[in-house]
Amino acid sequence: GLLAKLGEQTYMALMATVRTSPVVHTDDTGWRIDSESAWLWVFATTDGVTFYVIARSRGADVVEAVLGVEFPGGLVSDGLPALDSLPDSYRRAQCLGHLIVRASELASVHKAGAARFPLAVKGFLQEVIALRDRRETLTTATYDRYCRAANQGLDQLLAGHSTVHE
């Protein structure tokens, strides 16, 4: 319609901005179009640009249509399995908040012994987020030292040497 035509130039400019962003966060939620299933997708950049798409698909095709096949930035998502079919050129990361929730859910359904690992993952993620949040208050040397310690802690965690106790 007329409204879509009037907004087309702005819409395309926002999509171009998202396509050139160094990092884009994406997520989707259920939506209805004439009582049929669809999804509202959000693409948010770290510098405050937010781009929305309503699509009948919940697949990688929507992400490729917005970001392009050769997206040069990093894509952060909730781990939606459909995005696993994105081209190998995409640099992907999972949202830490979603990982923390998954770790909590895993810990809650397992007995104490089996809950150790997801609790350790949750604690590690919370610690590195807290470190990131303190970045501006630390000297470069101190921050680097904490980052090295976090890397060592992650190596130990992945090697199965968790410090979480029952």
Side-chain angles (χ1 to χ4, degrees):
L2 177 61
L3 188 57
K5 187 71 176 162
L6 290 172
E8 184 176 8
Q9 188 174 7
T10 301
Y11 187 83
M12 298 307 287
L14 287 169
M15 183 164 51
T17 300
V18 169
R19 282 184 168 197
T20 59
S21 178
V23 177
V24 174
H25 296 256
T26 190
D27 203 358
D28 65 278
T29 191
W31 197 261
R32 304 298 267 173
I33 300 174
D34 296 328
S35 74
E36 293 183 22
S37 293
W39 286 266
L40 170 66
W41 287 81
V42 62
F43 297 84
T45 70
T46 54
D47 59 354
V49 174
T50 304
F51 184 79
Y52 294 96
V53 173
I54 297 173
R56 295 203 186 268
S57 171
R58 192 179 186 207
D61 58 318
V62 177
V63 175
E64 284 188 67
V66 172
L67 299 178
V69 177
E70 298 290 327
F71 177 60
L75 179 67
V76 180
S77 69
D78 61 357
L80 179 67
L83 299 188
D84 291 344
S85 65
L86 284 168
D88 290 339
S89 60
Y90 271 69
R91 292 180 301 134
R92 294 181 49 212
Q94 284 198 9
C95 166
L96 296 181
H98 281 89
L99 290 173
I100 289 170
V101 168
R102 279 198 199 110
S104 293
E105 289 169 350
L106 280 171
S108 71
V109 298
H110 292 291
K111 293 182 180 165
R116 285 184 185 150
F117 185 74
L119 288 174
V121 168
K122 177 183 174 183
F124 174 79
L125 293 173
Q126 290 171 324
E127 286 176 22
V128 295
I129 289 170
L131 175 59
R132 179 209 57 201
D133 292 345
R134 291 181 53 212
R135 172 65 184 103
E136 297 301 317
T137 66
L138 302 172
T139 66
T140 300
T142 300
Y143 182 74
D144 289 347
R145 184 168 39 90
Y146 287 155
C147 287
R148 283 191 301 278
N151 282 330
Q152 289 172 348
L154 179 59
D155 288 343
Q156 289 177 341
L157 178 63
L158 295 175
H161 304 299
S162 171
T163 58
V164 176
H165 301 288
E166 295 178 39

